[in-house]
Amino acid sequence: MSGFIKMDMKKMFFDRAAVIAKVDPATRKALCKFGAFVRTTARRSIKNAPFIKRKEKGVERTDFRKQYSKPGNPPYSRTGKLKKFISFAYDPAKRSVVIGPEILPGKRKAIAPPILEYGGVTTVKFGKKTRTARYSSRPYMTPAFNKEQRKLPSIWRDSIK
């Protein structure tokens, strides 16, 4: 999937000594501010998933299934992990900022972030059965980037002061 970079982001946060030594203060300030704006906009676009059925007063909830967002809209948050683990870091190879979801450690391959952003086909395991699943895109990073990109000229202008 294009657009996703595998790197240890924590080593390249803007407050780390390695980044401070490599990047001049004005550039560091501008890239850090832009990364924070895009991250905040992406996080705010991901809403909590509503339940499929409303609970009547005085009745205990028995249906815990949650809705899915409509294709083309940002995904709903079901566990909160996608929203929580969006971060940004300095990319020394391109001398730019990388903004996006982190790949969490674990046994399972992290396919959710790219599938949500771009859509696609993947295999899903249900117990012993495996089936092919098609997902429509539910972009959240690209719209956030496009929205905040308008602020870049003023961010660069203000970083020099």
Side-chain angles (χ1 to χ4, degrees):
M1 303 268 162
S2 65
F4 283 85
I5 298 170
K6 189 174 181 178
M7 66 184 269
D8 187 5
M9 291 182 80
K10 291 183 181 174
K11 290 181 181 175
M12 299 312 288
F13 283 165
F14 284 89
D15 62 349
R16 300 296 196 249
V19 176
I20 292 170
K22 287 181 184 178
V23 186
D24 65 280
T27 302
R28 194 172 71 244
K29 181 180 175 184
L31 292 177
C32 186
K33 193 176 274 193
F34 180 69
F37 284 154
V38 173
R39 176 186 64 186
T40 301
T41 303
R43 283 180 176 173
R44 286 182 181 160
S45 72
I46 301 170
K47 306 293 183 206
N48 288 333
F51 288 100
I52 290 176
K53 294 180 184 175
R54 286 189 64 151
K55 182 183 141 197
E56 295 176 28
K57 279 190 171 182
V59 177
E60 202 172 313
R61 181 174 298 285
T62 56
D63 185 1
F64 287 110
R65 293 183 304 149
K66 293 185 175 183
Q67 291 180 0
Y68 296 99
S69 64
K70 293 180 180 165
N73 294 329
Y76 284 144
S77 175
R78 303 171 87 67
T79 64
K81 286 185 179 178
L82 177 65
K83 199 174 192 176
K84 183 179 178 183
F85 288 101
I86 295 174
S87 59
F88 61 96
Y90 180 69
D91 181 5
K94 293 186 178 180
R95 300 190 64 211
S96 65
V97 64
V98 177
I99 315 154
E102 295 179 46
I103 296 174
L104 301 176
K107 294 178 184 178
R108 298 177 68 186
K109 190 176 179 183
I111 60 165
I115 289 285
L116 287 171
E117 184 73 24
Y118 302 113
V121 179
T122 187
T123 55
V124 181
K125 245 183 167 177
F126 294 102
K128 293 181 180 179
K129 294 182 181 181
T130 305
R131 71 169 216 204
T132 301
R134 296 181 192 284
Y135 294 92
S136 299
S137 67
R138 287 164 171 81
Y140 55 102
M141 292 306 302
T142 304
F145 179 84
N146 292 338
K147 181 180 178 184
E148 297 302 327
Q149 196 172 16
R150 294 177 290 152
K151 295 180 183 176
L152 264 176
S154 65
I155 291 172
W156 280 108
R157 186 174 52 248
D158 295 343
S159 70
I160 297 170
K161 293 178 184 175

